[in-house]
Amino acid sequence: MPENRLQRRVGIEIPIQVCRPDSNVAIAARYQDLSWGGASFITCDLTIQNGHRLIMRFPWTNGESFMIEADVVRCEPLEDEYQRVAVRFATVGHQDDRRLAKLIELLSTAPHGASHATAPPMPMLELVLDDPEEMREKLSQIAEGYLFITAFGTYRVGQSLLLLIEHTDDFPGLRLRARVKSQSIDNQGDSDRPCLVTLELEFEHHRDELRKLAQLSMRFRSKRARFIGPYTDL
């Protein structure tokens, strides 16, 4: 998980459950560290390999828990027939993403927890729109699971980031987990300004959840437009 160097990691023993998508049988795992983008754990299950999909369940308040789908990106052999498994979060519920961020915040401030406090909680990209038509276009793309945007600076293909989408009116902003699918440089920039790039993003949320969020946002804008009515000169 190369992007972990860019994210705050916490290393503390908390109970987690790991299993395969087609099984409820828990895999014996000892938690090692956690970041917004993924986690690692030590296990004696040597059948886990790169590319496998796993289900990770994290503790939450009032005895509840939340679940995240993750892909295995690295397996490191250890002594005594154990291995260290690194996973990258692949599909996270919108509400569970907020819970994950809160859990990392709580663990990073715990006196017995080790964290890379100088690193940010997660890489972030903010998109502010002032054109209603452009907003509708972006919401339509999000409903289909992708988004094209223009941004300053360069990103890594495969990099995960927190995308904040805001509008200049009272539109409630969107908070989404995105991943860079492709990048093209539009302007190289110079010593005074960063380069300009076009990013193709995909999302680490279920498609039906993206559609629901986009539809709710569109309905909110439509309802607000009816209440405001046409602009008139005073």
Side-chain angles (χ1 to χ4, degrees), residues 9-230:
R9 300 198 308 272
V10 292
I12 185 174
E13 294 290 338
I14 62 172
I16 61 169
Q17 293 181 352
V18 181
C19 64
R20 291 179 171 83
D22 57 351
S23 173
N24 291 325
V25 178
I27 297 171
R30 188 171 81 247
Y31 169 79
Q32 255 207 323
D33 67 39
L34 173 68
S35 77
W36 184 78
S40 70
F41 59 88
I42 294 176
T43 179
C44 61
D45 189 335
L46 302 182
T47 65
I48 299 176
Q49 299 178 12
N50 288 358
H52 283 185
R53 173 64 60 92
L54 298 175
I55 304 297
M56 304 190 70
R57 192 175 295 276
F58 296 92
W60 192 238
T61 57
N62 299 322
E64 298 180 356
S65 62
F66 63 94
M67 183 185 71
I68 295 178
E69 296 181 25
D71 293 328
V72 177
V73 295
R74 187 172 64 255
C75 295
E76 178 187 349
L78 302 174
E79 295 180 353
D80 300 325
E81 296 187 350
Y82 280 83
Q83 67 172 342
R84 179 181 293 108
V85 177
V87 300
R88 173 180 184 151
F89 296 144
T91 306
V92 185
H94 192 254
Q95 182 62 33
D96 292 338
D97 180 52
R98 294 180 179 273
R99 292 171 174 169
L100 174 63
K102 184 63 177 179
L103 179 61
I104 293 173
E105 178 185 349
L106 292 173
L107 293 177
S108 64
T109 57
H112 54 289
S115 78
H116 295 242
T118 57
M122 72 284 288
M124 190 177 302
L125 179 60
E126 186 174 9
L127 178 63
V128 180
L129 303 172
D130 57 9
D131 181 5
E133 186 58 38
E134 184 181 13
M135 191 69 194
R136 283 191 291 270
E137 177 188 351
K138 299 304 184 188
L139 289 174
S140 297
Q141 292 181 9
I142 291 171
E144 296 302 318
Y146 72 95
L147 182 66
F148 285 94
I149 64 171
T150 301
F152 287 105
T154 57
Y155 296 80
R156 289 196 314 275
V157 173
Q159 177 181 355
S160 295
L161 49 85
L162 176 62
L163 178 65
L164 302 176
I165 303 178
E166 299 179 355
H167 198 270
T168 51
D169 60 17
D170 291 334
F171 167 79
L174 285 177
R175 183 184 190 275
L176 301 170
R177 294 179 65 100
R179 185 179 299 181
V180 179
K181 185 176 182 180
S182 67
Q183 172 182 256
S184 60
I185 298 178
D186 301 326
N187 189 303
Q188 291 287 351
D190 51 36
S191 58
D192 297 325
R193 55 190 175 89
C195 65
L196 189 66
V197 300
T198 295
L199 300 176
E200 179 185 5
L201 304 177
E202 54 188 357
F203 295 97
E204 297 174 349
H205 300 289
H206 288 290
R207 183 67 61 84
D208 57 349
E209 190 173 36
L210 288 171
R211 289 197 184 102
K212 184 180 297 184
L213 288 171
Q215 290 169 359
L216 286 173
S217 298
M218 289 179 182
R219 283 202 293 268
F220 177 88
R221 288 198 51 79
S222 176
K223 183 177 181 181
R224 176 175 167 76
R226 289 198 300 272
F227 281 134
I228 292 177

